[in-house]
Amino acid sequence: VIFGHSLAEAEQAAGPRNNSEVSLEQGCTYVTFATLPDLMFMVEQGVVVRADSKAAIANVLGVQVGATLESVTAAHPEARLTPHKYDPTGQYLIFPSADGASAIVMEAAAGKIAAIRAGLEPAVEYVEGCS
């Protein structure tokens, strides 16, 4: 599944979505695929713009959910840290692509990575998903 591809192209790559009853006319929604059980994909206007994971999924940074904030910032000092919107002790770690068109965003809570998402800007940085 490639960010920026249509949902139809994503279904060609990953198979039919699990929640085909979900309307895509809302403008923004999440879909899942049986072949990618630990990911939820955000779709805006029929285009895949983001993937969210709360499981230990491999990524290009080599960081998984459950890693300590300390180990991630030591391995990746380039991370941009910002305060969490709802958790006064939490943080977001943002890793923008070289062209700024996409990013990986990690949410840290209680000193550990609690969730990871990746996708196109600005959708990848939406704190409340499609809300």
Side-chain angles (χ1 to χ4, degrees):
V1 176
I2 297 174
F3 303 122
H5 277 190
S6 70
L7 180 56
E9 290 170 308
E11 287 182 299
Q12 286 178 339
R17 60 188 165 115
N18 290 332
N19 47 345
S20 59
E21 74 286 350
V22 173
S23 169
L24 298 177
E25 298 192 15
Q26 301 171 2
C28 182
T29 192
Y30 277 92
V31 300
T32 59
F33 299 95
T35 57
L36 301 164
D38 294 322
L39 294 171
M40 293 184 0
F41 292 89
M42 179 187 284
V43 178
E44 289 184 317
Q45 311 300 323
V47 175
V48 178
V49 294
R50 170 173 151 174
D52 292 50
S53 175
K54 292 187 179 173
I57 303 276
N59 58 58
V60 298
L61 296 171
V63 177
Q64 295 185 350
V65 170
T68 66
L69 177 61
E70 182 180 358
S71 69
V72 176
T73 56
H76 299 283
E78 75 279 12
R80 186 176 86 219
L81 275 71
T82 62
H84 196 283
K85 184 172 180 178
Y86 297 110
D87 180 353
T89 63
Q91 294 179 299
Y92 299 105
L93 291 82
I94 303 167
F95 299 87
S97 64
D99 65 2
S102 59
I104 294 176
V105 177
M106 300 178 187
E107 289 189 46
K112 294 194 181 239
I113 302 302
I116 300 174
R117 59 186 182 261
L120 301 176
E121 291 287 2
V124 71
E125 291 196 51
Y126 295 164
V127 173
E128 297 172 354
C130 285
S131 297

